[in-house]
Amino acid sequence: LRDATLLFLIKKSGGKITDICLAMKKHGFGAGRWNGTGGKVEPGESIESAVIREAMEELGVAAADSRKVAELSFYFPHHPDWDQKVHVYLAEIWKGEPVETQEMKPRWFSVSDIPFDKMWPGDVFWILEVVKGRLVRGMFRFGEGDVILDKKVDIVSNFA
């Protein structure tokens, strides 16, 4: 599987995540859906460097404290070149304000108002676990029309 990244900017109050920055993908893979910012890891690039680069390219922010919260494998049997292992990070500290770019249009959502109906169908099964502070390892297999054919979501203690 090729490595990819996903980063969500978050705001906390009283130690709990209250708000999450999602971005509307404007074109390409995942267009028309709310998601975090991210993309493919370039050859020779570390996953952590890719997280920082993608946040700058797609949101205009420099993530300062990102921490890994999920490792998700996605399979598309009808389109195997889309298969990927996504390393998901949260950042509570960053420099700059999220701005619209050619790729993404960011918007803040309260955790209670995450628009799961306008996101990837599998997101509802793991994002709320991450928001609660859990580490997640998951696998999703999508059929035509992004129908979930198979899924597995586990709470883990680390990513070793």
Side-chain angles (χ1 to χ4, degrees):
L1 293 178
R2 79 165 183 245
D3 286 313
T5 64
L6 201 52
L7 173 73
F8 295 92
L9 302 180
I10 57 165
K11 293 180 181 174
K12 285 184 173 181
S13 178
K16 290 187 176 185
I17 297 173
T18 56
D19 298 276
I20 187 166
C21 183
L22 301 176
M24 176 60 70
K25 179 82 163 140
K26 293 169 142 184
H27 53 81
F29 186 76
R33 290 194 163 127
W34 291 105
N35 207 341
T37 184
K40 297 180 198 110
V41 176
E42 303 289 339
E45 182 179 41
S46 72
I47 290 165
E48 292 78 13
S49 295
V51 169
I52 292 165
R53 175 182 53 76
E54 289 283 352
M56 183 55 74
E57 289 174 3
E58 294 184 348
L59 290 182
V61 299
D65 77 330
S66 61
R67 63 183 175 86
K68 188 170 181 174
V69 294
E71 205 170 78
L72 308 168
S73 298
F74 296 101
Y75 297 94
F76 300 84
H78 62 289
H79 220 305
D81 55 318
W82 291 354
D83 293 357
Q84 55 193 294
K85 181 179 192 177
V86 179
H87 304 267
V88 183
Y89 288 76
L90 297 181
E92 190 179 352
I93 301 169
W94 61 90
K95 290 184 180 140
E97 279 305 310
V99 294
E100 184 172 351
T101 63
Q102 210 171 357
E103 287 276 327
M104 309 288 266
K105 182 177 181 175
R107 182 173 149 202
W108 286 96
F109 291 89
S110 79
V111 167
S112 59
D113 292 327
I114 295 173
F116 287 112
D117 60 326
K118 294 178 177 74
M119 298 171 75
W120 281 97
D123 289 353
V124 69
F125 298 105
W126 65 270
I127 286 180
L128 294 176
E129 296 299 332
V130 164
V131 165
K132 292 175 191 168
R134 297 185 177 113
L135 302 180
V136 175
R137 180 173 283 129
M139 181 284 300
F140 295 88
R141 192 176 317 277
F142 289 100
E144 300 271 356
D146 300 329
V147 172
I148 297 174
L149 302 175
D150 190 22
K151 69 173 169 48
K152 183 175 182 181
V153 177
D154 294 316
I155 306 304
V156 297
S157 56
N158 60 57
F159 297 108

